[in-house]
Amino acid sequence: MLMRTDPFREFDRLAQQVFGSTRPAAMPMDAYRSGDDFIVHFDLPGIDPETIELDVERNVLNVRAERRSPAPDDAELLVTERPTGTFTRQLFLGDTLDTDRIDASYEAGVLTLRVPVAEQAKPRRIQITGGDRKQLGK
């Protein structure tokens, strides 16, 4: 059996049982641009997809999810290292992203958001038209 030495483990366990979580719940993420999309991956293992909430207000994306303890209320907890409770994260999206067309999927504990780059922010070639060159004054 693996044993870790942590002099504060019992204090943390007791504080969590009495006061709830002793540390903010983390929602690690990766974000990158791929072609005309901005992709964000959030690690949310063990989350019921029904508890995930996404909303956008004035270019601020709010992500909220909840993980409940699988143990019954009357169970005697021996080890509780997996965080439970509410996880939240805010992302500030630039004006160059099309927040009306966000696509979200949840698979294997990862929430993936695909935010397209807005059409007006994409690079475009400007056509130069030819015409008669008239000399001024003639």
Side-chain angles (χ1 to χ4, degrees), residues 87-101:
F87 301 80
T88 60
R89 187 92 187 231
Q90 282 189 330
L91 291 180
F92 295 93
L93 305 176
D95 293 332
T96 60
L97 299 176
D98 188 352
T99 58
D100 292 332
R101 298 188 317 146

Side-chain angles (χ1 to χ4, degrees), residues 124-137:
R124 61 190 183 282
R125 174 159 275 189
I126 299 172
Q127 183 68 33
I128 300 172
T129 58
D132 295 337
R133 292 187 177 195
K134 296 183 180 180
Q135 294 181 359
L136 293 176

Side-chain angles (χ1 to χ4, degrees), residues 44-116:
L44 293 171
I47 299 289
D48 178 2
E50 297 293 320
T51 69
I52 299 173
E53 296 176 13
L54 297 171
D55 64 73
V56 177
E57 183 178 345
R58 294 186 183 209
N59 290 1
V60 177
L61 173 71
N62 294 296
V63 182
R64 183 184 181 283
E66 184 178 352
R67 182 186 300 131
R68 297 178 184 100
S69 173
D73 290 338
D74 61 345
E76 178 185 352
L77 298 175
L78 303 175
V79 177
T80 57
E81 294 181 349
R82 295 174 39 194
T84 57
T86 302
F87 301 80
T88 60
R89 187 92 187 231
Q90 282 189 330
L91 291 180
F92 295 93
L93 305 176
D95 293 332
T96 60
L97 299 176
D98 188 352
T99 58
D100 292 332
R101 298 188 317 146
I102 295 175
D103 179 54
S105 62
Y106 181 75
E107 185 176 335
V110 178
L111 173 65
T112 299
L113 303 181
R114 189 172 292 273
V115 186

